[in-house]
Amino acid sequence: VALEELRSSRSWKGEDIALPDVREAIARMKAPLATYGGVEFSVFSPEDQITLNPHLELFIYSRTDQWLYILQGKGLQEQRMVRTKSWKLSKQDFPPAPDLVNAAALTAERLGLKSA
């Protein structure tokens, strides 16, 4: 698991974290993440990587077709290339969000992540 919070320029990493703990941590951060953005959250294994970037774009990389079928079942389509958006905010442009900064630090602590 890798977590980077842009506003405070802090990042954390950890290995061998139980998937249910990661799911719970992401669920707890859902509201501030959706409201403010500015956090990159990556969960990866030897087979898969799922990343929610600071602009709330979700990227999934997988060596198998597992995710393809799950996402197609939700009506989504595979894109091999994603065109970047011209409206993306730079690190300095994200508005202050102390709730999100605190939530990111608490999440890192709960998951036992170490400063990167």
Coordinates of all heavy atoms in Angstrom, one line a residue, residues 2-4 12 20 23 33 48 55 58 73 75 81-82 94 99 103:
A2 N 0.5 2.2 -0.8 CA 1.2 3.5 -0.8 C 0.2 4.6 -0.7 O -0.8 4.5 -1.4 CB 2.1 3.6 -2.1
L3 N 0.5 5.6 0.1 CA -0.4 6.7 0.3 C 0.4 8.0 0.3 O 1.4 8.1 1.0 CB -1.1 6.5 1.7 CG -2.0 7.6 2.2 CD1 -3.2 7.8 1.3 CD2 -2.5 7.3 3.6
E4 N -0.1 8.9 -0.6 CA 0.6 10.2 -0.7 C -0.5 11.3 -0.5 O -1.5 11.3 -1.2 CB 1.3 10.3 -2.0 CG 2.0 11.7 -2.1 CD 2.8 11.8 -3.4 OE1 2.6 10.9 -4.3 OE2 3.5 12.8 -3.6
W12 N 3.4 7.6 2.7 CA 3.6 6.5 3.5 C 3.6 5.2 2.6 O 2.9 5.2 1.6 CB 2.5 6.3 4.6 CG 2.4 7.5 5.5 CD1 3.0 7.6 6.7 CD2 1.6 8.6 5.3 NE1 2.6 8.8 7.3 CE2 1.7 9.5 6.4 CE3 0.7 9.1 4.3 CZ2 1.1 10.7 6.6 CZ3 0.1 10.3 4.4 CH2 0.2 11.1 5.6
P20 N -8.8 -6.8 4.0 CA -9.9 -6.2 4.7 C -9.6 -4.9 5.4 O -10.4 -4.0 5.5 CB -10.4 -7.3 5.7 CG -9.9 -8.6 5.0 CD -8.6 -8.2 4.3
R23 N -9.4 -2.2 2.7 CA -10.8 -1.8 2.3 C -11.5 -0.9 3.4 O -12.1 0.1 3.0 CB -11.7 -3.1 2.1 CG -11.3 -3.8 0.9 CD -12.3 -5.0 0.8 NE -11.9 -5.8 -0.3 CZ -12.0 -7.1 -0.4 NH1 -12.4 -7.8 0.7 NH2 -11.6 -7.8 -1.4
L33 N -12.1 12.1 0.7 CA -11.4 11.9 -0.6 C -12.3 12.5 -1.7 O -11.9 13.2 -2.6 CB -11.2 10.5 -0.8 CG -9.8 9.9 -0.4 CD1 -9.8 8.4 -0.6 CD2 -8.7 10.6 -1.0
D48 N -1.8 -7.4 -9.4 CA -2.7 -6.3 -9.7 C -2.1 -5.0 -9.0 O -1.4 -5.0 -8.1 CB -4.1 -6.5 -9.1 CG -4.7 -7.7 -9.6 OD1 -4.8 -7.9 -10.8 OD2 -5.2 -8.5 -8.7
H55 N -6.6 13.4 -8.6 CA -7.7 13.9 -9.4 C -8.9 13.0 -9.4 O -9.8 13.2 -10.2 CB -7.2 14.3 -10.8 CG -6.1 15.2 -10.8 ND1 -6.2 16.6 -10.5 CD2 -4.8 15.0 -10.9 CE1 -5.0 17.2 -10.5 NE2 -4.1 16.2 -10.8
L58 N -9.4 6.6 -11.4 CA -9.0 5.3 -10.9 C -8.3 4.5 -12.1 O -8.8 4.5 -13.2 CB -10.3 4.5 -10.5 CG -10.1 3.1 -10.0 CD1 -9.3 3.2 -8.7 CD2 -11.4 2.4 -9.8
G73 N -19.0 -5.9 -16.2 CA -20.3 -6.1 -15.5 C -20.9 -4.9 -15.0 O -22.1 -4.8 -14.8
G75 N -20.7 -2.0 -16.6 CA -20.9 -1.2 -17.8 C -19.8 -0.3 -18.2 O -19.9 0.6 -19.0
M81 N -5.2 3.5 -23.4 CA -4.5 4.8 -23.2 C -5.6 5.8 -22.7 O -6.7 5.8 -23.1 CB -3.9 5.4 -24.5 CG -2.7 4.7 -24.9 SD -1.9 5.5 -26.4 CE -1.6 7.1 -25.8
V82 N -5.1 6.7 -21.8 CA -6.0 7.7 -21.2 C -5.5 9.0 -21.5 O -4.3 9.3 -21.2 CB -6.2 7.5 -19.7 CG1 -7.1 8.6 -19.1 CG2 -6.7 6.1 -19.4
F94 N -4.6 22.7 -5.0 CA -5.6 22.1 -4.2 C -6.0 22.9 -3.0 O -5.1 23.4 -2.3 CB -5.2 20.7 -3.7 CG -5.2 19.6 -4.7 CD1 -4.1 19.3 -5.4 CD2 -6.4 19.0 -5.0 CE1 -4.1 18.3 -6.4 CE2 -6.4 18.0 -6.0 CZ -5.3 17.7 -6.7
D99 N -9.3 18.4 7.2 CA -10.0 17.1 7.5 C -9.3 16.0 6.7 O -9.1 14.9 7.3 CB -11.5 17.1 7.2 CG -12.2 18.1 8.1 OD1 -11.7 18.5 9.2 OD2 -13.4 18.5 7.7
A103 N -7.2 12.8 8.1 CA -7.7 11.5 7.7 C -6.6 10.6 7.1 O -6.5 9.4 7.3 CB -8.9 11.6 6.8

